[in-house]
Amino acid sequence: NFPIDPFGYLRAKVQSLILWENRRNSALVLTGTLSFLILTQYYSLLQIAAGIFFFITGLNWVFVIIYKQGQKYIYGKAPEELTNPHRERLRYNGSYIPRDRIVHLAQLSVDVFEVFAQHITKLVLIENSWRSAVALVISFTVWTLAKYISTKYLIGLFLLSAFTGPRLYLQHQAVIDAHLQQLLQQTQSSTEKYGGLACAKAKELSHQATEFIK
């Protein structure tokens, strides 16, 4: 329920997308965003808008001409009797823009931005030290990568990782967890082994330094 728990609502929606619970919606979001990134890499927004208008209007123009010519030669209608296949749509006097939906979408967008603003404020003001530390590491990593990689490529890589990583993990969770557990045990044993040696060496050097100073 968005009014009661907006962050939980958004988290559930994002999880539903990246876990492919509804494959059609996830595929549409992923292909749509990637297509937009690829197109804007080579074309401006003005070129994209003009190209879409040219393509749709051109196809419809051909369709209308063929439709009218069919009325003329197949049914033998006079030029003044030819009709447009979209005549009902052209007679429509209502509003093409659903105002109620636009208002609802605007309110929802404001609520979503408000949720993000609240969580960013909590990170900046250090409500939780661990979360703020993680956010610092992520922001520094992004800042470093952005110096060498284009922002659009970073967004594309993030989208691909988000839509493939969690799903692959769920499909191979047992194998991945086993490897992670083995790696963790090896790291822990190495830390204990070499940590003890390093501690003993540090004590020896400290003792030598103390004797030297004396």
mmCIF file with all atom_site columns, all heavy atoms in Angstrom, residues 102-123:
data_model
loop_
_atom_site.group_PDB
_atom_site.id
_atom_site.type_symbol
_atom_site.label_atom_id
_atom_site.label_alt_id
_atom_site.label_comp_id
_atom_site.label_asym_id
_atom_site.label_entity_id
_atom_site.label_seq_id
_atom_site.pdbx_PDB_ins_code
_atom_site.Cartn_x
_atom_site.Cartn_y
_atom_site.Cartn_z
_atom_site.occupancy
_atom_site.B_iso_or_equiv
_atom_site.pdbx_formal_charge
_atom_site.auth_seq_id
_atom_site.auth_comp_id
_atom_site.auth_asym_id
_atom_site.auth_atom_id
_atom_site.pdbx_PDB_model_num
ATOM 1   N N   . ILE A 1 102 ? -3.246 11.948 -15.907 1.00 0.00 ? 102 ILE A N   1
ATOM 2   C CA  . ILE A 1 102 ? -2.081 12.836 -15.847 1.00 0.00 ? 102 ILE A CA  1
ATOM 3   C C   . ILE A 1 102 ? -1.912 13.393 -14.441 1.00 0.00 ? 102 ILE A C   1
ATOM 4   O O   . ILE A 1 102 ? -0.799 13.438 -13.897 1.00 0.00 ? 102 ILE A O   1
ATOM 5   C CB  . ILE A 1 102 ? -2.209 13.976 -16.877 1.00 0.00 ? 102 ILE A CB  1
ATOM 6   C CG1 . ILE A 1 102 ? -2.217 13.416 -18.300 1.00 0.00 ? 102 ILE A CG1 1
ATOM 7   C CG2 . ILE A 1 102 ? -1.079 14.978 -16.701 1.00 0.00 ? 102 ILE A CG2 1
ATOM 8   C CD1 . ILE A 1 102 ? -0.942 12.679 -18.679 1.00 0.00 ? 102 ILE A CD1 1
ATOM 9   N N   . VAL A 1 103 ? -3.020 13.808 -13.820 1.00 0.00 ? 103 VAL A N   1
ATOM 10  C CA  . VAL A 1 103 ? -2.962 14.339 -12.457 1.00 0.00 ? 103 VAL A CA  1
ATOM 11  C C   . VAL A 1 103 ? -2.503 13.249 -11.488 1.00 0.00 ? 103 VAL A C   1
ATOM 12  O O   . VAL A 1 103 ? -1.661 13.484 -10.604 1.00 0.00 ? 103 VAL A O   1
ATOM 13  C CB  . VAL A 1 103 ? -4.333 14.903 -12.044 1.00 0.00 ? 103 VAL A CB  1
ATOM 14  C CG1 . VAL A 1 103 ? -4.341 15.267 -10.564 1.00 0.00 ? 103 VAL A CG1 1
ATOM 15  C CG2 . VAL A 1 103 ? -4.676 16.131 -12.888 1.00 0.00 ? 103 VAL A CG2 1
ATOM 16  N N   . HIS A 1 104 ? -3.051 12.041 -11.647 1.00 0.00 ? 104 HIS A N   1
ATOM 17  C CA  . HIS A 1 104 ? -2.641 10.928 -10.779 1.00 0.00 ? 104 HIS A CA  1
ATOM 18  C C   . HIS A 1 104 ? -1.163 10.600 -10.967 1.00 0.00 ? 104 HIS A C   1
ATOM 19  O O   . HIS A 1 104 ? -0.436 10.365 -9.988  1.00 0.00 ? 104 HIS A O   1
ATOM 20  C CB  . HIS A 1 104 ? -3.500 9.703  -11.093 1.00 0.00 ? 104 HIS A CB  1
ATOM 21  C CG  . HIS A 1 104 ? -3.079 8.476  -10.345 1.00 0.00 ? 104 HIS A CG  1
ATOM 22  N ND1 . HIS A 1 104 ? -3.263 8.332  -8.977  1.00 0.00 ? 104 HIS A ND1 1
ATOM 23  C CD2 . HIS A 1 104 ? -2.451 7.337  -10.765 1.00 0.00 ? 104 HIS A CD2 1
ATOM 24  C CE1 . HIS A 1 104 ? -2.784 7.156  -8.595  1.00 0.00 ? 104 HIS A CE1 1
ATOM 25  N NE2 . HIS A 1 104 ? -2.284 6.536  -9.659  1.00 0.00 ? 104 HIS A NE2 1
ATOM 26  N N   . LEU A 1 105 ? -0.685 10.595 -12.213 1.00 0.00 ? 105 LEU A N   1
ATOM 27  C CA  . LEU A 1 105 ? 0.723  10.314 -12.479 1.00 0.00 ? 105 LEU A CA  1
ATOM 28  C C   . LEU A 1 105 ? 1.627  11.395 -11.898 1.00 0.00 ? 105 LEU A C   1
ATOM 29  O O   . LEU A 1 105 ? 2.698  11.094 -11.353 1.00 0.00 ? 105 LEU A O   1
ATOM 30  C CB  . LEU A 1 105 ? 0.947  10.197 -13.992 1.00 0.00 ? 105 LEU A CB  1
ATOM 31  C CG  . LEU A 1 105 ? 2.362  9.861  -14.445 1.00 0.00 ? 105 LEU A CG  1
ATOM 32  C CD1 . LEU A 1 105 ? 2.793  8.512  -13.891 1.00 0.00 ? 105 LEU A CD1 1
ATOM 33  C CD2 . LEU A 1 105 ? 2.448  9.861  -15.971 1.00 0.00 ? 105 LEU A CD2 1
ATOM 34  N N   . ALA A 1 106 ? 1.192  12.655 -11.995 1.00 0.00 ? 106 ALA A N   1
ATOM 35  C CA  . ALA A 1 106 ? 1.983  13.745 -11.421 1.00 0.00 ? 106 ALA A CA  1
ATOM 36  C C   . ALA A 1 106 ? 2.067  13.617 -9.899  1.00 0.00 ? 106 ALA A C   1
ATOM 37  O O   . ALA A 1 106 ? 3.142  13.775 -9.302  1.00 0.00 ? 106 ALA A O   1
ATOM 38  C CB  . ALA A 1 106 ? 1.368  15.092 -11.809 1.00 0.00 ? 106 ALA A CB  1
ATOM 39  N N   . GLN A 1 107 ? 0.949  13.316 -9.269  1.00 0.00 ? 107 GLN A N   1
ATOM 40  C CA  . GLN A 1 107 ? 0.955  13.140 -7.810  1.00 0.00 ? 107 GLN A CA  1
ATOM 41  C C   . GLN A 1 107 ? 1.820  11.952 -7.402  1.00 0.00 ? 107 GLN A C   1
ATOM 42  O O   . GLN A 1 107 ? 2.581  12.025 -6.422  1.00 0.00 ? 107 GLN A O   1
ATOM 43  C CB  . GLN A 1 107 ? -0.477 12.949 -7.308  1.00 0.00 ? 107 GLN A CB  1
ATOM 44  C CG  . GLN A 1 107 ? -1.355 14.183 -7.459  1.00 0.00 ? 107 GLN A CG  1
ATOM 45  C CD  . GLN A 1 107 ? -2.793 13.921 -7.044  1.00 0.00 ? 107 GLN A CD  1
ATOM 46  O OE1 . GLN A 1 107 ? -3.197 12.776 -6.852  1.00 0.00 ? 107 GLN A OE1 1
ATOM 47  N NE2 . GLN A 1 107 ? -3.578 14.983 -6.904  1.00 0.00 ? 107 GLN A NE2 1
ATOM 48  N N   . LEU A 1 108 ? 1.739  10.861 -8.163  1.00 0.00 ? 108 LEU A N   1
ATOM 49  C CA  . LEU A 1 108 ? 2.550  9.686  -7.861  1.00 0.00 ? 108 LEU A CA  1
ATOM 50  C C   . LEU A 1 108 ? 4.037  9.998  -8.031  1.00 0.00 ? 108 LEU A C   1
ATOM 51  O O   . LEU A 1 108 ? 4.872  9.570  -7.218  1.00 0.00 ? 108 LEU A O   1
ATOM 52  C CB  . LEU A 1 108 ? 2.144  8.528  -8.770  1.00 0.00 ? 108 LEU A CB  1
ATOM 53  C CG  . LEU A 1 108 ? 2.894  7.208  -8.549  1.00 0.00 ? 108 LEU A CG  1
ATOM 54  C CD1 . LEU A 1 108 ? 2.637  6.678  -7.137  1.00 0.00 ? 108 LEU A CD1 1
ATOM 55  C CD2 . LEU A 1 108 ? 2.461  6.175  -9.590  1.00 0.00 ? 108 LEU A CD2 1
ATOM 56  N N   . SER A 1 109 ? 4.379  10.767 -9.073  1.00 0.00 ? 109 SER A N   1
ATOM 57  C CA  . SER A 1 109 ? 5.782  11.140 -9.286  1.00 0.00 ? 109 SER A CA  1
ATOM 58  C C   . SER A 1 109 ? 6.317  11.985 -8.141  1.00 0.00 ? 109 SER A C   1
ATOM 59  O O   . SER A 1 109 ? 7.439  11.780 -7.667  1.00 0.00 ? 109 SER A O   1
ATOM 60  C CB  . SER A 1 109 ? 5.922  11.901 -10.611 1.00 0.00 ? 109 SER A CB  1
ATOM 61  O OG  . SER A 1 109 ? 5.483  11.115 -11.699 1.00 0.00 ? 109 SER A OG  1
ATOM 62  N N   . VAL A 1 110 ? 5.496  12.925 -7.667  1.00 0.00 ? 110 VAL A N   1
ATOM 63  C CA  . VAL A 1 110 ? 5.909  13.754 -6.531  1.00 0.00 ? 110 VAL A CA  1
ATOM 64  C C   . VAL A 1 110 ? 6.116  12.897 -5.288  1.00 0.00 ? 110 VAL A C   1
ATOM 65  O O   . VAL A 1 110 ? 7.096  13.076 -4.546  1.00 0.00 ? 110 VAL A O   1
ATOM 66  C CB  . VAL A 1 110 ? 4.861  14.858 -6.270  1.00 0.00 ? 110 VAL A CB  1
ATOM 67  C CG1 . VAL A 1 110 ? 5.174  15.601 -4.973  1.00 0.00 ? 110 VAL A CG1 1
ATOM 68  C CG2 . VAL A 1 110 ? 4.817  15.831 -7.437  1.00 0.00 ? 110 VAL A CG2 1
ATOM 69  N N   . ASP A 1 111 ? 5.222  11.942 -5.062  1.00 0.00 ? 111 ASP A N   1
ATOM 70  C CA  . ASP A 1 111 ? 5.361  11.055 -3.897  1.00 0.00 ? 111 ASP A CA  1
ATOM 71  C C   . ASP A 1 111 ? 6.629  10.202 -4.004  1.00 0.00 ? 111 ASP A C   1
ATOM 72  O O   . ASP A 1 111 ? 7.326  9.985  -3.002  1.00 0.00 ? 111 ASP A O   1
ATOM 73  C CB  . ASP A 1 111 ? 4.135  10.150 -3.778  1.00 0.00 ? 111 ASP A CB  1
ATOM 74  C CG  . ASP A 1 111 ? 2.876  10.929 -3.433  1.00 0.00 ? 111 ASP A CG  1
ATOM 75  O OD1 . ASP A 1 111 ? 2.999  12.030 -2.868  1.00 0.00 ? 111 ASP A OD1 1
ATOM 76  O OD2 . ASP A 1 111 ? 1.773  10.442 -3.750  1.00 0.00 ? 111 ASP A OD2 1
ATOM 77  N N   . VAL A 1 112 ? 6.927  9.713  -5.205  1.00 0.00 ? 112 VAL A N   1
ATOM 78  C CA  . VAL A 1 112 ? 8.132  8.898  -5.397  1.00 0.00 ? 112 VAL A CA  1
ATOM 79  C C   . VAL A 1 112 ? 9.388  9.721  -5.137  1.00 0.00 ? 112 VAL A C   1
ATOM 80  O O   . VAL A 1 112 ? 10.312 9.289  -4.428  1.00 0.00 ? 112 VAL A O   1
ATOM 81  C CB  . VAL A 1 112 ? 8.152  8.305  -6.822  1.00 0.00 ? 112 VAL A CB  1
ATOM 82  C CG1 . VAL A 1 112 ? 9.512  7.666  -7.113  1.00 0.00 ? 112 VAL A CG1 1
ATOM 83  C CG2 . VAL A 1 112 ? 7.054  7.270  -6.989  1.00 0.00 ? 112 VAL A CG2 1
ATOM 84  N N   . PHE A 1 113 ? 9.437  10.933 -5.680  1.00 0.00 ? 113 PHE A N   1
ATOM 85  C CA  . PHE A 1 113 ? 10.588 11.806 -5.438  1.00 0.00 ? 113 PHE A CA  1
ATOM 86  C C   . PHE A 1 113 ? 10.703 12.173 -3.963  1.00 0.00 ? 113 PHE A C   1
ATOM 87  O O   . PHE A 1 113 ? 11.814 12.341 -3.441  1.00 0.00 ? 113 PHE A O   1
ATOM 88  C CB  . PHE A 1 113 ? 10.491 13.069 -6.301  1.00 0.00 ? 113 PHE A CB  1
ATOM 89  C CG  . PHE A 1 113 ? 10.889 12.860 -7.729  1.00 0.00 ? 113 PHE A CG  1
ATOM 90  C CD1 . PHE A 1 113 ? 9.965  12.950 -8.751  1.00 0.00 ? 113 PHE A CD1 1
ATOM 91  C CD2 . PHE A 1 113 ? 12.203 12.559 -8.053  1.00 0.00 ? 113 PHE A CD2 1
ATOM 92  C CE1 . PHE A 1 113 ? 10.323 12.747 -10.071 1.00 0.00 ? 113 PHE A CE1 1
ATOM 93  C CE2 . PHE A 1 113 ? 12.581 12.354 -9.369  1.00 0.00 ? 113 PHE A CE2 1
ATOM 94  C CZ  . PHE A 1 113 ? 11.645 12.449 -10.388 1.00 0.00 ? 113 PHE A CZ  1
ATOM 95  N N   . GLU A 1 114 ? 9.573  12.304 -3.296  1.00 0.00 ? 114 GLU A N   1
ATOM 96  C CA  . GLU A 1 114 ? 9.593  12.603 -1.865  1.00 0.00 ? 114 GLU A CA  1
ATOM 97  C C   . GLU A 1 114 ? 10.221 11.447 -1.086  1.00 0.00 ? 114 GLU A C   1
ATOM 98  O O   . GLU A 1 114 ? 11.002 11.665 -0.145  1.00 0.00 ? 114 GLU A O   1
ATOM 99  C CB  . GLU A 1 114 ? 8.169  12.858 -1.374  1.00 0.00 ? 114 GLU A CB  1
ATOM 100 C CG  . GLU A 1 114 ? 8.060  13.125 0.126   1.00 0.00 ? 114 GLU A CG  1
ATOM 101 C CD  . GLU A 1 114 ? 8.765  14.404 0.558   1.00 0.00 ? 114 GLU A CD  1
ATOM 102 O OE1 . GLU A 1 114 ? 8.934  15.305 -0.284  1.00 0.00 ? 114 GLU A OE1 1
ATOM 103 O OE2 . GLU A 1 114 ? 9.158  14.479 1.744   1.00 0.00 ? 114 GLU A OE2 1
ATOM 104 N N   . VAL A 1 115 ? 9.897  10.206 -1.467  1.00 0.00 ? 115 VAL A N   1
ATOM 105 C CA  . VAL A 1 115 ? 10.497 9.040  -0.814  1.00 0.00 ? 115 VAL A CA  1
ATOM 106 C C   . VAL A 1 115 ? 12.003 9.036  -1.004  1.00 0.00 ? 115 VAL A C   1
ATOM 107 O O   . VAL A 1 115 ? 12.774 8.826  -0.054  1.00 0.00 ? 115 VAL A O   1
ATOM 108 C CB  . VAL A 1 115 ? 9.866  7.747  -1.361  1.00 0.00 ? 115 VAL A CB  1
ATOM 109 C CG1 . VAL A 1 115 ? 10.617 6.520  -0.825  1.00 0.00 ? 115 VAL A CG1 1
ATOM 110 C CG2 . VAL A 1 115 ? 8.401  7.659  -0.977  1.00 0.00 ? 115 VAL A CG2 1
ATOM 111 N N   . PHE A 1 116 ? 12.454 9.285  -2.241  1.00 0.00 ? 116 PHE A N   1
ATOM 112 C CA  . PHE A 1 116 ? 13.896 9.329  -2.504  1.00 0.00 ? 116 PHE A CA  1
ATOM 113 C C   . PHE A 1 116 ? 14.563 10.458 -1.728  1.00 0.00 ? 116 PHE A C   1
ATOM 114 O O   . PHE A 1 116 ? 15.669 10.294 -1.189  1.00 0.00 ? 116 PHE A O   1
ATOM 115 C CB  . PHE A 1 116 ? 14.151 9.496  -4.002  1.00 0.00 ? 116 PHE A CB  1
ATOM 116 C CG  . PHE A 1 116 ? 14.033 8.227  -4.778  1.00 0.00 ? 116 PHE A CG  1
ATOM 117 C CD1 . PHE A 1 116 ? 12.942 7.987  -5.585  1.00 0.00 ? 116 PHE A CD1 1
ATOM 118 C CD2 . PHE A 1 116 ? 15.016 7.252  -4.695  1.00 0.00 ? 116 PHE A CD2 1
ATOM 119 C CE1 . PHE A 1 116 ? 12.823 6.808  -6.303  1.00 0.00 ? 116 PHE A CE1 1
ATOM 120 C CE2 . PHE A 1 116 ? 14.916 6.063  -5.399  1.00 0.00 ? 116 PHE A CE2 1
ATOM 121 C CZ  . PHE A 1 116 ? 13.817 5.841  -6.213  1.00 0.00 ? 116 PHE A CZ  1
ATOM 122 N N   . ALA A 1 117 ? 13.909 11.613 -1.665  1.00 0.00 ? 117 ALA A N   1
ATOM 123 C CA  . ALA A 1 117 ? 14.486 12.743 -0.933  1.00 0.00 ? 117 ALA A CA  1
ATOM 124 C C   . ALA A 1 117 ? 14.631 12.429 0.545   1.00 0.00 ? 117 ALA A C   1
ATOM 125 O O   . ALA A 1 117 ? 15.644 12.765 1.181   1.00 0.00 ? 117 ALA A O   1
ATOM 126 C CB  . ALA A 1 117 ? 13.621 13.985 -1.138  1.00 0.00 ? 117 ALA A CB  1
ATOM 127 N N   . GLN A 1 118 ? 13.632 11.760 1.128   1.00 0.00 ? 118 GLN A N   1
ATOM 128 C CA  . GLN A 1 118 ? 13.710 11.404 2.542   1.00 0.00 ? 118 GLN A CA  1
ATOM 129 C C   . GLN A 1 118 ? 14.857 10.437 2.818   1.00 0.00 ? 118 GLN A C   1
ATOM 130 O O   . GLN A 1 118 ? 15.604 10.606 3.797   1.00 0.00 ? 118 GLN A O   1
ATOM 131 C CB  . GLN A 1 118 ? 12.381 10.782 2.985   1.00 0.00 ? 118 GLN A CB  1
ATOM 132 C CG  . GLN A 1 118 ? 11.214 11.765 3.038   1.00 0.00 ? 118 GLN A CG  1
ATOM 133 C CD  . GLN A 1 118 ? 9.921  11.093 3.409   1.00 0.00 ? 118 GLN A CD  1
ATOM 134 O OE1 . GLN A 1 118 ? 9.875  9.892  3.641   1.00 0.00 ? 118 GLN A OE1 1
ATOM 135 N NE2 . GLN A 1 118 ? 8.839  11.871 3.457   1.00 0.00 ? 118 GLN A NE2 1
ATOM 136 N N   . HIS A 1 119 ? 15.031 9.428  1.968   1.00 0.00 ? 119 HIS A N   1
ATOM 137 C CA  . HIS A 1 119 ? 16.093 8.450  2.201   1.00 0.00 ? 119 HIS A CA  1
ATOM 138 C C   . HIS A 1 119 ? 17.479 9.048  1.949   1.00 0.00 ? 119 HIS A C   1
ATOM 139 O O   . HIS A 1 119 ? 18.434 8.727  2.666   1.00 0.00 ? 119 HIS A O   1
ATOM 140 C CB  . HIS A 1 119 ? 15.875 7.228  1.312   1.00 0.00 ? 119 HIS A CB  1
ATOM 141 C CG  . HIS A 1 119 ? 14.851 6.274  1.863   1.00 0.00 ? 119 HIS A CG  1
ATOM 142 N ND1 . HIS A 1 119 ? 13.496 6.516  1.802   1.00 0.00 ? 119 HIS A ND1 1
ATOM 143 C CD2 . HIS A 1 119 ? 14.994 5.090  2.523   1.00 0.00 ? 119 HIS A CD2 1
ATOM 144 C CE1 . HIS A 1 119 ? 12.849 5.519  2.371   1.00 0.00 ? 119 HIS A CE1 1
ATOM 145 N NE2 . HIS A 1 119 ? 13.723 4.649  2.817   1.00 0.00 ? 119 HIS A NE2 1
ATOM 146 N N   . ILE A 1 120 ? 17.594 9.926  0.954   1.00 0.00 ? 120 ILE A N   1
ATOM 147 C CA  . ILE A 1 120 ? 18.887 10.581 0.727   1.00 0.00 ? 120 ILE A CA  1
ATOM 148 C C   . ILE A 1 120 ? 19.230 11.489 1.904   1.00 0.00 ? 120 ILE A C   1
ATOM 149 O O   . ILE A 1 120 ? 20.390 11.560 2.339   1.00 0.00 ? 120 ILE A O   1
ATOM 150 C CB  . ILE A 1 120 ? 18.843 11.374 -0.596  1.00 0.00 ? 120 ILE A CB  1
ATOM 151 C CG1 . ILE A 1 120 ? 18.784 10.400 -1.771  1.00 0.00 ? 120 ILE A CG1 1
ATOM 152 C CG2 . ILE A 1 120 ? 20.061 12.283 -0.719  1.00 0.00 ? 120 ILE A CG2 1
ATOM 153 C CD1 . ILE A 1 120 ? 18.620 11.073 -3.112  1.00 0.00 ? 120 ILE A CD1 1
ATOM 154 N N   . THR A 1 121 ? 18.220 12.180 2.444   1.00 0.00 ? 121 THR A N   1
ATOM 155 C CA  . THR A 1 121 ? 18.449 13.026 3.614   1.00 0.00 ? 121 THR A CA  1
ATOM 156 C C   . THR A 1 121 ? 18.929 12.203 4.800   1.00 0.00 ? 121 THR A C   1
ATOM 157 O O   . THR A 1 121 ? 19.849 12.601 5.528   1.00 0.00 ? 121 THR A O   1
ATOM 158 C CB  . THR A 1 121 ? 17.156 13.781 3.986   1.00 0.00 ? 121 THR A CB  1
ATOM 159 O OG1 . THR A 1 121 ? 16.728 14.564 2.865   1.00 0.00 ? 121 THR A OG1 1
ATOM 160 C CG2 . THR A 1 121 ? 17.390 14.690 5.176   1.00 0.00 ? 121 THR A CG2 1
ATOM 161 N N   . LYS A 1 122 ? 18.334 11.018 5.009   1.00 0.00 ? 122 LYS A N   1
ATOM 162 C CA  . LYS A 1 122 ? 18.757 10.147 6.106   1.00 0.00 ? 122 LYS A CA  1
ATOM 163 C C   . LYS A 1 122 ? 20.186 9.667  5.905   1.00 0.00 ? 122 LYS A C   1
ATOM 164 O O   . LYS A 1 122 ? 20.949 9.523  6.868   1.00 0.00 ? 122 LYS A O   1
ATOM 165 C CB  . LYS A 1 122 ? 17.812 8.960  6.214   1.00 0.00 ? 122 LYS A CB  1
ATOM 166 C CG  . LYS A 1 122 ? 16.407 9.328  6.676   1.00 0.00 ? 122 LYS A CG  1
ATOM 167 C CD  . LYS A 1 122 ? 15.499 8.103  6.716   1.00 0.00 ? 122 LYS A CD  1
ATOM 168 C CE  . LYS A 1 122 ? 14.085 8.489  7.145   1.00 0.00 ? 122 LYS A CE  1
ATOM 169 N NZ  . LYS A 1 122 ? 13.169 7.313  7.154   1.00 0.00 ? 122 LYS A NZ  1
ATOM 170 N N   . LEU A 1 123 ? 20.577 9.407  4.638   1.00 0.00 ? 123 LEU A N   1
ATOM 171 C CA  . LEU A 1 123 ? 21.954 8.983  4.367   1.00 0.00 ? 123 LEU A CA  1
ATOM 172 C C   . LEU A 1 123 ? 22.939 10.119 4.621   1.00 0.00 ? 123 LEU A C   1
ATOM 173 O O   . LEU A 1 123 ? 24.005 9.913  5.208   1.00 0.00 ? 123 LEU A O   1
ATOM 174 C CB  . LEU A 1 123 ? 22.077 8.497  2.920   1.00 0.00 ? 123 LEU A CB  1
ATOM 175 C CG  . LEU A 1 123 ? 21.370 7.187  2.570   1.00 0.00 ? 123 LEU A CG  1
ATOM 176 C CD1 . LEU A 1 123 ? 21.470 6.918  1.076   1.00 0.00 ? 123 LEU A CD1 1
ATOM 177 C CD2 . LEU A 1 123 ? 21.957 6.029  3.363   1.00 0.00 ? 123 LEU A CD2 1
#
